[in-house]
Amino acid sequence: MKNILFLLVLFSFSFATAGIGQTVQAKIDFETLEHDFGSFKEEAGPQTYSFKFVNNGASPLILNNVRASCGCTTPQWTKEPVAPGREGFIKVSYDPRNRPGPFNKTVTVSSNAENATVVLRIKGAVEQREKTLAEQYPREIGPLRAKTNQLSFVKINESEVKTEELEVVNDTDQPVKIEFKTPPSHLTAKAVPETVPTKGKGKIVVTYDAKQLNTYGFMMHRIYLNINGESNYRNSIGVSATIEEDFSALSAEELANAPVVSFNEKAHDFGDINQGDAVEYTFTIKNEGKRDLIIRNVKTSCGCTAVTPEKKIISQNEVVPLKVKFDSKGKRGRQNKSITVITNDPKNPTTILRVSTNINVAG
């Protein structure tokens, strides 16, 4: 009898222990945690894969959130609770548009399961589609197309003559004749060929003669085109260059005795001001070299900033004030403006000064 009672107690304990070991939570199990789309063409459009899962727990499974690592990946998922033993899905789509090359993205699944966070992964490689002519040449100049409507000569010496070219295409069914409407005197422009054939290509050739300008610093101009004999100010190209002084002919002795520019500081913050206030600050320029320092040019980043150098020729060890005035009329919020000072210091010909402020608007 005692043996029978002992076996009954032992059986009851074993059954209770087994019950404690079983999970009472939901448990999400996926068939796979990763999918490889392989290589596919960009024009094939979005690629989709459905990750299937089973709730192998004892409670209903609820997906709280499904979050992709980027906007190119769009997940959809089972929104209603998934009963124990039942299946659900997470459908993941990848949009390859304008995204050529390999990709490796993740989708983070959050739920009430005992494995509360699961990371799914998709990968593959997108073969770039051939771009349309409009995509290759996005800028329109009348009936012509170009990759850009700007020609940049970047840096050019004061006595240099430099030439750049801009490719244009004619995607119309008619020839296009190009002429130019009185370019600035330091610029010459020509079209090669003068008439771009139907579905053909040509180029606009611009020559920049810096010595005709007799100035320094960043310069911006526009060249206006007459297309098929018609004048339209929207048909133009921008031409930019930064003109620098030519120090290449200076000897070692001349470089050793050259002017050296220095400033008391290169940035000033006016702090908080009210809209409509005009504030001033005076930088100082010192010539620490052995020959006269010449201020070649002073340019500001906007018309709201005025700069008045007291003099343009600064002797050895002389200190000269450079007054900067900022007018906040029509401005609001944080403002940052720059002043470009160009001198004949061969080692540091261009210096950028900065002024900043925070403009409060009444009411």
Side-chain angles (χ1 to χ4, degrees), residues 36-174:
D36 188 347
F37 287 108
S39 180
F40 59 95
K41 295 182 181 296
E42 184 180 344
E43 56 265 35
Q47 303 295 297
T48 301
Y49 180 76
S50 187
F51 290 91
K52 295 180 181 179
F53 64 83
V54 177
N55 178 7
N56 283 327
S59 299
L61 171 68
I62 300 172
L63 300 182
N64 299 320
N65 192 22
V66 179
R67 185 178 69 257
S69 60
C70 81
C72 55
T73 306
T74 307
Q76 295 176 305
W77 63 93
T78 302
K79 299 296 176 67
E80 64 274 6
V82 179
R86 302 302 295 271
E87 294 183 348
F89 70 90
I90 294 174
K91 186 183 293 185
V92 180
S93 295
Y94 180 79
D95 187 354
R97 184 176 53 182
N98 298 325
R99 297 184 177 95
F103 64 91
N104 193 324
K105 306 297 179 182
T106 59
V107 175
T108 302
V109 181
S110 302
S111 71
N112 67 333
E114 63 177 31
N115 49 336
T117 301
V118 178
V119 177
L120 307 176
R121 187 177 300 276
I122 58 170
K123 61 183 181 178
V126 179
E127 299 174 22
Q128 185 173 17
R129 64 178 173 80
E130 185 176 348
K131 291 186 177 182
T132 65
L133 188 69
E135 289 173 321
Q136 295 178 61
Y137 299 87
R139 300 295 181 184
E140 291 183 278
I141 307 173
L144 299 172
R145 286 189 169 275
K147 291 181 179 179
T148 176
N149 56 3
Q150 300 283 334
L151 266 180
S152 176
F153 285 82
V154 194
K155 294 180 180 180
I156 183 169
N157 286 333
E158 58 185 327
S159 58
E160 189 176 3
V161 178
K162 203 171 182 180
T163 298
E164 295 286 350
E165 298 178 353
L166 178 67
E167 185 182 44
V168 293
V169 296
N170 176 12
D171 193 33
T172 71
D173 295 326
Q174 299 294 327

Side-chain angles (χ1 to χ4, degrees), residues 125-358:
V126 179
E127 299 174 22
Q128 185 173 17
R129 64 178 173 80
E130 185 176 348
K131 291 186 177 182
T132 65
L133 188 69
E135 289 173 321
Q136 295 178 61
Y137 299 87
R139 300 295 181 184
E140 291 183 278
I141 307 173
L144 299 172
R145 286 189 169 275
K147 291 181 179 179
T148 176
N149 56 3
Q150 300 283 334
L151 266 180
S152 176
F153 285 82
V154 194
K155 294 180 180 180
I156 183 169
N157 286 333
E158 58 185 327
S159 58
E160 189 176 3
V161 178
K162 203 171 182 180
T163 298
E164 295 286 350
E165 298 178 353
L166 178 67
E167 185 182 44
V168 293
V169 296
N170 176 12
D171 193 33
T172 71
D173 295 326
Q174 299 294 327
V176 176
K177 185 177 181 180
I178 305 173
E179 297 175 301
F180 301 93
K181 185 176 181 179
T182 319
S185 59
H186 66 287
L187 298 176
T188 57
K190 64 179 180 179
V192 181
E194 186 177 280
T195 299
V196 183
T198 299
K199 305 298 181 181
K201 292 184 178 181
K203 55 187 178 182
I204 295 172
V205 182
V206 177
T207 300
Y208 200 116
D209 187 353
K211 63 180 180 292
Q212 291 195 35
L213 280 175
N214 193 30
T215 190
Y216 300 91
F218 180 76
M219 305 295 293
M220 184 74 190
H221 305 278
R222 298 206 76 79
I223 294 179
Y224 296 93
L225 284 66
N226 288 342
I227 304 291
N228 291 331
E230 294 183 5
S231 175
N232 187 326
Y233 281 94
R234 288 180 296 181
N235 299 334
S236 66
I237 59 173
V239 179
S240 64
T242 297
I243 302 174
E244 296 184 337
E245 191 165 351
D246 186 2
F247 300 106
S248 61
L250 294 181
S251 65
E253 181 181 357
E254 287 173 321
L255 287 171
N257 293 312
V260 177
V261 66
S262 70
F263 295 83
N264 62 321
E265 59 179 342
K266 295 182 180 179
H268 177 74
D269 191 340
F270 290 110
D272 288 345
I273 64 174
N274 294 321
Q275 189 181 58
D277 288 350
V279 289
E280 295 182 358
Y281 178 74
T282 300
F283 292 93
T284 60
I285 307 175
K286 183 179 180 180
N287 179 11
E288 296 181 347
K290 298 179 180 179
R291 292 185 178 174
D292 287 349
L293 177 72
I294 302 173
I295 299 178
R296 299 293 195 191
N297 205 349
V298 179
K299 292 189 174 187
T300 60
S301 59
C302 83
C304 57
T305 310
V307 182
T308 308
E310 187 173 278
K311 57 193 302 188
K312 292 191 174 181
I313 299 178
I314 305 172
S315 304
Q316 181 181 3
N317 293 321
E318 185 179 7
V319 177
V320 171
L322 182 72
K323 185 182 291 186
V324 176
K325 181 178 181 179
F326 174 76
D327 188 352
S328 65
K329 183 179 179 181
K331 306 291 183 183
R332 62 173 60 203
R334 189 68 182 170
Q335 299 288 317
N336 296 281
K337 307 301 178 185
S338 62
I339 302 103
T340 303
V341 182
I342 301 169
T343 70
N344 65 331
D345 177 352
K347 293 183 179 179
N348 189 28
T350 302
T351 303
I352 307 295
L353 307 178
R354 301 187 186 280
V355 293
S356 57
T357 185
N358 188 63

